[in-house]
Amino acid sequence: MSALFTPLPLRSLEIPNRIWTSPMCMYSAASDGPETGMPTDFHLTHLAGRAAGGAGLVMAEATAVRPDGRITPWDLGLWNDRQQQAFARVTAAIRSHGSVPAIQLAHAGRKASVDKPWLTGGFVPRTEGGWQPVAPSPEPFTGRPAPHELTPDEIQQLVRDFAESAKRALAAGFQVVELHGAHGFLIHSFLSPAANHRTDSYGGSFENRLRFALEVVNAVRMVWPENLPVFFRTSATDWLTENPEDDREGWTGDDTVRLAKELRAHGVDLLDVSSGGMVADATIPVAPGYQVPFAAQARAATGIPTGTVGLILEPAQAEDIVATGQADAVLLGRELLRNPYWPQHAALELGAEPRWPEQYGYAVRRSGKR
């Protein structure tokens, strides 16, 4: 039996296989008006299509917990009833194909209020529909304005915002909620000394820099059912400290192990391991599976289940990652844009049974292929 097609139990939930759709921003929601942040027919087709393609878990893109948490004005959000109702048909479509619907809740922090990446990718000012970003410290991301430094009261409001969005996610039918603590966004910027220069209880020591992340986890875990899992996405390294040619201090793989121990103790069920995003000019040794060792390190050191992502392109490569215990699941992004049916073809290659929709399976079997 292929390890990749073995179900993964997490709490009372059983995810049918270990090939999952990574959250990928589509920048395709309304940017203003009553439909701001609502998933559209495009999002429904996009996410349901990955479920039809055989992914065991389909995760909706980074979804802002409040308006200023969007990366771009065209991001998804989950802070009102209309958004919640629109997501309900997305989760129903994903589940209709036998996949688990998941959502990544996020706040973009100092990287918020920018244009679509295929346009300029530049900062969008208030006069053009943007807003002032917020962050733990008034340290700007490369080439952007300085963010507003959050006060302790504002930080506590953000904790509540994450919890409220998690409640809405549950009501919309999601079975997994993931907290976005990676890629230089708000939670990550509290964790990393490259962005957090505070001197109060939310900055300075390692324990203080973890405080906001753990408060968010605790608040979400309080409103999320005991029988359903919570994930946390991390950037395992900023790719700064490990680079002998870079004298900047950043978050490291060893820091991620320490974080993983805390997350597990606070009720996180899986660590979704990515990397980078804190600074624009980090030197990153990109290669197939380049982030897998960080997932393996955290898993081996703490026992927390892990998912891994990044240039996982071939079924045999993905099978080896899971079969050898480097991670419990693989998350595919752009490869599932190129080929939404990658999991079905991987099943054929690895000797497992494809999970075709009934309407497709009839025709596929008649063609002489399973």
Side-chain angles (χ1 to χ4, degrees):
M1 177 90 182
S2 163
L4 206 55
F5 289 91
T6 302
L8 178 64
L10 292 171
R11 298 196 182 233
S12 68
L13 183 67
E14 184 173 90
I15 304 172
N17 64 44
R18 314 297 184 94
I19 305 170
W20 302 348
T21 302
S22 190
M24 294 175 281
C25 290
M26 296 288 111
Y27 313 108
S28 298
S31 61
D32 56 20
E35 296 186 351
T36 297
M38 288 173 53
T40 65
D41 287 346
F42 171 82
H43 296 96
L44 175 66
T45 303
H46 164 63
L47 294 168
R50 273 69 206 165
L57 177 145
V58 177
M59 193 175 299
E61 66 192 70
T63 300
V65 299
R66 65 188 206 185
D68 71 352
R70 293 171 292 169
I71 303 168
T72 77
W74 301 274
D75 283 15
L76 293 180
L78 190 48
W79 64 78
N80 66 37
D81 290 344
R82 290 175 65 91
Q83 295 159 345
Q84 177 182 312
Q85 292 161 6
F87 269 117
R89 68 181 190 134
V90 174
T91 61
I94 293 170
R95 295 179 75 164
S96 74
H97 292 292
S99 299
V100 171
I103 188 168
Q104 184 185 72
L105 298 181
H107 190 293
R110 66 179 188 158
K111 297 178 77 173
S113 192
V114 296
D115 200 359
K116 295 178 181 182
W118 56 80
L119 297 177
T120 69
F123 181 72
V124 178
R126 290 180 186 272
T127 55
E128 297 176 19
W131 55 91
Q132 184 180 22
V134 301
S137 303
E139 180 75 24
F141 188 72
T142 307
R144 299 181 191 171
H148 164 69
E149 182 174 10
L150 290 161
T151 68
D153 285 346
E154 289 169 337
I155 292 170
Q156 287 304 300
Q157 181 58 54
L158 277 158
V159 172
R160 292 190 290 271
D161 292 335
F162 272 95
E164 285 300 312
S165 286
K167 287 196 289 188
R168 290 188 178 280
L170 181 67
F174 287 102
Q175 294 176 286
V176 174
V177 63
E178 175 170 279
L179 302 174
H180 198 345
H183 302 161
F185 298 129
L186 186 63
I187 294 177
H188 183 196
S189 65
F190 271 90
L191 294 172
S192 175
N196 186 345
H197 303 151
R198 298 178 74 97
T199 57
D200 63 3
S201 62
Y202 288 97
S205 69
F206 182 82
E207 292 74 18
N208 282 356
R209 286 185 280 113
L210 259 60
R211 190 177 307 277
F212 176 61
L214 296 181
E215 287 181 348
V216 170
V217 168
N218 289 343
V220 168
R221 191 73 265 183
M222 285 287 291
V223 302
W224 196 249
E226 183 67 23
N227 65 326
L228 292 178
V230 171
F231 294 178
F232 187 97
R233 173 163 274 195
T234 183
S235 277
T237 174
D238 291 339
W239 298 107
L240 297 176
T241 304
E242 296 92 341
N243 182 357
E245 298 178 2
D246 198 320
D247 60 3
R248 291 172 291 182
E249 182 185 7
W251 185 260
T252 70
D254 290 340
D255 290 334
T256 294
V257 170
R258 295 175 67 186
L259 171 65
K261 291 177 181 177
E262 292 293 331
L263 291 174
R264 193 177 191 200
H266 285 256
V268 169
D269 301 285
L270 182 135
L271 189 67
D272 178 3
V273 182
S274 186
S275 71
M278 178 53 63
V279 299
D281 59 347
T283 300
I284 303 177
V286 176
Y290 70 106
Q291 294 169 147
V292 173
F294 297 107
Q297 179 188 18
R299 188 178 188 270
T302 70
I304 193 170
T306 61
T308 189
V309 64
L311 286 182
I312 299 170
L313 306 175
E314 300 297 334
Q317 174 195 12
E319 174 74 13
D320 180 70
I321 290 167
V322 174
T324 58
Q326 297 176 78
D328 296 273
V330 295
L331 290 96
L332 275 59
R334 280 169 286 186
E335 192 62 15
L336 287 183
L337 298 183
R338 289 184 282 262
N339 180 5
Y341 298 99
W342 193 98
Q344 313 287 21
H345 298 302
L348 286 173
E349 184 172 321
L350 297 170
E353 189 66 31
R355 196 163 53 88
W356 292 107
E358 184 179 68
Q359 300 91 329
Y360 295 2
Y362 168 76
V364 171
R365 286 190 293 272
R366 289 191 68 188
S367 72
K369 298 180 180 180
R370 288 188 297 139

